[in-house]
Amino acid sequence: MEAKIGEFFDKVTSFFSGGDQIPWSDSDVVVGCEREVAEAEKGSSDELKNECRTRLSWALVHSRRPEDVQRGIAMLEASLSGTGSTPELMREKLYLLAVGYFRSGDYPRSRQLAERCLEIQPDWRQAMNLKKAVEDRITKDGAIGIGIAATAAALVAGGLAAALSRRR
């Protein structure tokens, strides 16, 4: 019985904490990647510059700081509108962009980008996991919204009932 209760509380905690499996990066990782990009800009090959920028984009969209996430989204959108990429690089950038939108709370856009990744590579587990996390978050937010609306309706109904009972 205790195991069932513990499992129930784990599920509730996961539900309200948004227990997704997407990793986070900290500010040290972002700073290290920024340093790496700055060094690469000093005459390295275009390929190395692009790799460093991609790592920085990864660190930014996985950051806990909203301004880092927005910077990562902007970098990725700029790189997607630039020159053509291989399907693998395009898929990676789309995935990182989807993570950025997920972290910033734009779940429909994140799901759309995850689906585009799956069009490029249908069996890509990361994109499948992200799409599931997005769908779970959309469901959770909807359930919370319904709960809030139901609570508000109950409060209004209770207030009306109390007001009517006082009149009698």
Side-chain angles (χ1 to χ4, degrees):
M1 181 70 169
E2 286 182 33
K4 293 262 186 207
I5 293 172
E7 182 180 323
F8 171 76
F9 281 111
D10 288 344
K11 287 180 181 179
V12 169
T13 300
S14 176
F15 179 81
F16 284 106
S17 67
D20 62 70
Q21 301 299 316
I22 300 168
W24 293 98
S25 68
D26 59 24
S27 58
D28 293 341
V29 173
V30 172
V31 169
C33 290
E34 288 172 332
R35 193 175 306 123
E36 189 178 76
V37 167
E39 289 173 13
E41 295 292 335
K42 297 177 185 172
S44 298
S45 69
D46 286 342
E47 185 177 337
L48 180 60
K49 289 177 190 176
N50 287 333
E51 286 176 21
C52 293
R53 287 184 200 123
T54 300
R55 280 194 290 275
L56 175 58
S57 297
W58 184 96
L60 289 169
V61 299
H62 286 87
S63 174
R64 293 184 187 273
R65 296 179 48 200
E67 59 272 14
D68 285 347
V69 174
Q70 291 305 314
R71 231 175 86 208
I73 288 171
M75 282 180 66
L76 289 159
E77 285 179 341
S79 72
L80 283 172
S81 66
T83 59
S85 301
T86 65
E88 294 81 21
L89 188 56
M90 175 68 83
R91 179 197 73 186
E92 286 290 326
K93 289 178 180 181
L94 288 171
Y95 173 78
L96 292 175
L97 193 54
V99 169
Y101 281 114
F102 179 79
R103 292 288 188 220
S104 66
D106 189 346
Y107 305 124
R109 181 78 174 126
S110 180
R111 179 174 45 195
Q112 177 189 38
L113 291 165
E115 288 170 350
R116 283 185 58 196
C117 292
L118 292 169
E119 288 171 9
I120 296 170
Q121 185 177 347
D123 62 340
W124 193 25
R125 187 167 298 273
Q126 278 182 292
M128 287 189 280
N129 290 339
L130 176 60
K131 183 179 175 193
K132 182 181 180 334
V134 169
E135 290 170 349
D136 289 348
R137 186 64 60 94
I138 289 170
T139 301
K140 179 185 95 172
D141 287 356
I144 291 171
I146 290 170
I148 291 170
T151 301
L155 289 172
V156 169
L160 289 173
L164 289 174
S165 70
R166 282 191 214 141
R167 285 187 163 187
R168 292 180 186 181

